[in-house]
């Protein structure tokens, strides 16, 4: 069964600093990979996704992630943190062998990002 | 506006009292799913539905029921809630296409005493 690991349940960065949130997956076949963001008292919304095209994926709000097959990683980055980026971030992986992916979507345990003024 | 609507947002109940959390989407999505979110555990799938009258168990289905009689609605039923079902619940929907993003509701915070 596939799994996803997010290193660091809490990450704090200063405003303007680089944001790096780590995600590693376990899958023998490159899966579909997603990053979702959850703002307080809201549901999750999609930040970006990797399906099979370019390995560097750009998302909303200046975030991007790079798929590295050799490292089985899909880390999320943003060059300059903004106060509005404070939220919880979830990495998710789905199996290409499933019907279309979402019924076998596995979420990581989340990383709470705090921005220090 | 495209959205997934869950009701209620907050619910406090007592052990054993049947309850239903409703979920409705207006995007004509075939796929719908329920998750529970617990601290340190992330989101875990309870049940999902590929289409009307087609449902299947997720990773943590014990103590829950679902039904999919209409495409837009996917209620979650707790016939005899217990305190270990205290959690934050999310409904989500998507198109039945590879890599389609999930659209989430705003969540239902359930407390069972």
């Amino acid at each position: 069964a596939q799994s996803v690991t997010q290193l660091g349940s809490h990450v704090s960065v200063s405003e303007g600093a680089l944001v790096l949130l780590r995600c590693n997956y376990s899958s023998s076949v490159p899966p579909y990979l997603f990053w979702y963001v959850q703002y307080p008292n809201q549901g999750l919304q999609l930040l970006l996704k990797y399906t099979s095209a370019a390995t560097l994926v750009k998302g909303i709000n200046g975030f991007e992630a790079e798929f590295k097959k050799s490292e089985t990683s899909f880390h999320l980055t943003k060059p300059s943190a903004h106060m509005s980026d404070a939220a919880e971030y979830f990495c998710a992986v789905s199996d290409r062998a499933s019907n279309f992916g979402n019924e076998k979507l596995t979420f990581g345990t989340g990383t709470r990002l705090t921005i220090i003024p | 506006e495209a959205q997934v609507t869950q009701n209620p947002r907050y619910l406090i109940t007592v052990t054993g009292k049947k309850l239903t959390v409703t979920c409705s989407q207006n995007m004509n999505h075939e796929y719908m799913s329920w998750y529970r979110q617990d601290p340190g555990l992330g989101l875990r799938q309870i049940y999902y539905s590929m289409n009307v009258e087609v449902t299947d168990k997720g990773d943590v289905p014990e103590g829950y029921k679902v039904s999919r009689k209409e495409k837009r609605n996917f209620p979650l039923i707790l016939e005899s809630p217990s305190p270990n079902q205290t959690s934050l619940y999310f409904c989500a929907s998507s198109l039945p296409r590879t890599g389609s993003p999930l659209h989430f509701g705003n969540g239902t915070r359930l407390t069972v005493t």
Side-chain angles (χ1 to χ4, degrees), chain B residues 6-104:
Chain B
Q6 290 179 232
N7 280 297
R9 288 295 306 274
Y10 301 92
L11 181 57
I12 301 173
T13 190
V14 296
T15 299
K17 186 176 181 181
K18 181 179 178 179
L19 67 90
T20 299
V21 183
T22 63
C23 174
S24 181
Q25 49 94 4
N26 63 0
M27 294 166 281
N28 203 36
H29 286 166
E30 284 84 355
Y31 178 83
M32 297 185 75
S33 182
W34 277 102
Y35 293 87
R36 60 178 289 172
Q37 182 181 12
D38 301 289
L41 297 177
L43 275 79
R44 294 178 292 167
Q45 188 181 55
I46 303 171
Y47 269 94
Y48 65 92
S49 170
M50 302 290 280
N51 213 325
V52 176
E53 303 291 0
V54 181
T55 63
D56 209 344
K57 297 178 181 178
D59 298 318
V60 289
E62 295 77 19
Y64 304 95
K65 283 177 57 176
V66 293
S67 69
R68 188 92 183 272
K69 294 183 170 55
E70 305 166 283
K71 197 172 187 179
R72 64 183 293 125
N73 296 323
F74 190 45
L76 179 70
I77 302 156
L78 285 71
E79 298 229 325
S80 184
S82 62
N84 64 10
Q85 292 178 299
T86 292
S87 186
L88 180 58
Y89 292 87
F90 287 101
C91 180
S93 72
S94 78
L95 292 169
R97 278 203 300 266
T98 302
S100 294
L102 284 169
H103 296 258
F104 283 83

